[in-house]
């Protein structure tokens, strides 16, 4: 009986998570103007998505921002995680505690704090994209750090010491022994950073230039307007993002299983 209850509970939870997404995906292939309406099969939403120059620029800008900031976050977080792991107890505790604050902190607080520091106090113009970039790095780097740290704890420290004993410099031992063992954590952290950057609304709202929109800010503004074609094209965009995420997760799991089998 407990087994069936667990299955039912899991099915209910999965239904709450995925049924709304699947409904949106189905309507993205119709010419209906609202969810719940009746419409025939159509690719018009996908055509509008890529034919509209404003939407194309918004998507390109969002992806470029996410990739650049995530790459910087990954480098900084990797350096921080390695430095923390090989530090003494007190510095390690301080670094870990400082890293946890942005994770626990609300996004709106992070966004407002970055805005006050960079734009109000340091008077850096929002048009330079510097506040926006720093805001996304501050938001994503702690999560990359948390993805890499477990891999460091699983690592065999004797390999690093053996590399030094065999004549490798600390830099050579780092790049040829330590970092290759952290690749799964680095990749998963980078993917997580990209997802967080694409999804962020509050930090972006407080730090972005007035003429620039990411997917999150654009969607919020579009839902307040009356442009039906834009709203329905965003259904198609949501479906594409969902499919890309599913494919990426499946590929990562397949590659992880193959790597595990080869060991």
């Amino acid at each position: 009986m407990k087994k069936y209850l667990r299955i039912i509970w899991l099915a209910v939870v999965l239904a709450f998570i995925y049924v709304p997404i699947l409904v949106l995906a189905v309507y993205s292939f119709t010419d209906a103007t609202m969810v719940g309406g009746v419409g025939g099969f159509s690719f018009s939403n996908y055509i509008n998505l890529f034919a509209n120059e404003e939407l194309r620029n918004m998507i390109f800008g969002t992806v470029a921002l996410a990739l650049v900031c995530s790459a910087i976050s990954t480098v900084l977080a990797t350096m921080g995680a390695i430095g923390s792991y090989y530090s003494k107890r007190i510095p390690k505790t301080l670094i870990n505690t400082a890293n946890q604050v942005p994770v626990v902190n609300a996004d709106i607080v992070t966004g407002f704090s970055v805005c006050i520091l960079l734009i109000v106090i340091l008077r850096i113009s929002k048009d330079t994209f510097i506040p926006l970039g720093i805001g996304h790095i501050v938001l994503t780097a702690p999560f990359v750090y948390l993805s890499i740290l477990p891999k460091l704890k699983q690592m065999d420290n004797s390999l690093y010491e053996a590399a030094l004993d065999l004549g490798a410099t600390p830099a050579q031992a780092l790049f040829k022994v330590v970092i290759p063992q952290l690749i799964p954590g680095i990749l998963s952290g980078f993917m997580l950073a990209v997802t967080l950057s694409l999804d962020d609304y509050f930090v972006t709202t407080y730090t972005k230039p007035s003429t620039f929109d990411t997917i999150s800010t654009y969607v919020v503004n579009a839902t307040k307007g009356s442009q039906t074609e834009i709203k329905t094209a965003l259904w198609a965009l949501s479906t594409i993002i969902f499919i890309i995420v599913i494919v990426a997760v499946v590929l990562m799991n397949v590659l992880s299983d193959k790597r595990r089998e080869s060991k």
Side-chain angles (χ1 to χ4, degrees), residues 91-104 138 142 145:
K92 180 185 296 186
T93 302
L94 291 175
I95 295 173
N96 288 336
T97 302
N99 184 80
Q100 291 173 3
V101 172
V103 174
V104 179
V138 170
Y145 177 97

Side-chain angles (χ1 to χ4, degrees), residues 29-101:
F29 290 99
T30 68
D31 55 9
T33 58
M34 59 182 295
V35 175
V38 179
F41 181 83
S42 173
F43 286 108
S44 59
N45 293 327
Y46 292 87
I47 295 173
N48 292 335
L49 177 63
F50 293 104
N52 189 303
E53 183 179 0
E54 182 181 3
L55 289 176
R56 289 201 310 270
N57 292 337
M58 178 269 296
I59 295 170
F60 175 79
T62 303
V63 173
L65 174 69
L67 292 177
V68 172
C69 292
S70 298
I72 297 173
S73 296
T74 302
V75 173
L76 295 177
T78 303
M79 295 168 58
I82 294 173
S84 169
Y85 182 73
Y86 288 105
S87 296
K88 295 182 179 180
R89 185 176 62 86
I90 293 179
K92 180 185 296 186
T93 302
L94 291 175
I95 295 173
N96 288 336
T97 302
N99 184 80
Q100 291 173 3
V101 172

Side-chain angles (χ1 to χ4, degrees), residues 46-166:
Y46 292 87
I47 295 173
N48 292 335
L49 177 63
F50 293 104
N52 189 303
E53 183 179 0
E54 182 181 3
L55 289 176
R56 289 201 310 270
N57 292 337
M58 178 269 296
I59 295 170
F60 175 79
T62 303
V63 173
L65 174 69
L67 292 177
V68 172
C69 292
S70 298
I72 297 173
S73 296
T74 302
V75 173
L76 295 177
T78 303
M79 295 168 58
I82 294 173
S84 169
Y85 182 73
Y86 288 105
S87 296
K88 295 182 179 180
R89 185 176 62 86
I90 293 179
K92 180 185 296 186
T93 302
L94 291 175
I95 295 173
N96 288 336
T97 302
N99 184 80
Q100 291 173 3
V101 172
V103 174
V104 179
N105 207 11
D107 286 357
I108 189 171
V109 178
T110 301
F112 197 55
S113 301
V114 172
C115 176
I116 291 177
L117 174 62
L118 299 179
I119 299 173
V120 178
I121 298 178
L122 299 181
R123 298 195 178 277
I124 299 175
S125 173
K126 293 170 67 175
D127 294 332
T128 61
F129 285 87
I130 293 176
L132 178 60
I134 293 177
H136 276 242
I137 293 170
V138 170
L139 174 70
T140 57
F143 292 92
V144 183
Y145 177 97
L146 292 177
S147 298
I148 296 172
L149 201 59
K151 295 298 179 182
L152 279 165
K153 295 179 179 178
Q154 297 171 7
M155 184 180 63
D156 186 358
N157 289 325
S158 61
L159 294 176
Y160 176 77
E161 296 171 359
L164 295 178
D165 292 339
L166 291 172

Side-chain angles (χ1 to χ4, degrees), residues 2 19 21 119 162 176 199-200 214 226 241 257:
K2 290 182 179 179
V19 167
I21 300 176
I119 299 173
K176 293 184 178 181
D199 183 60
D200 177 71
T214 61
S226 57
I241 293 174
D257 290 340

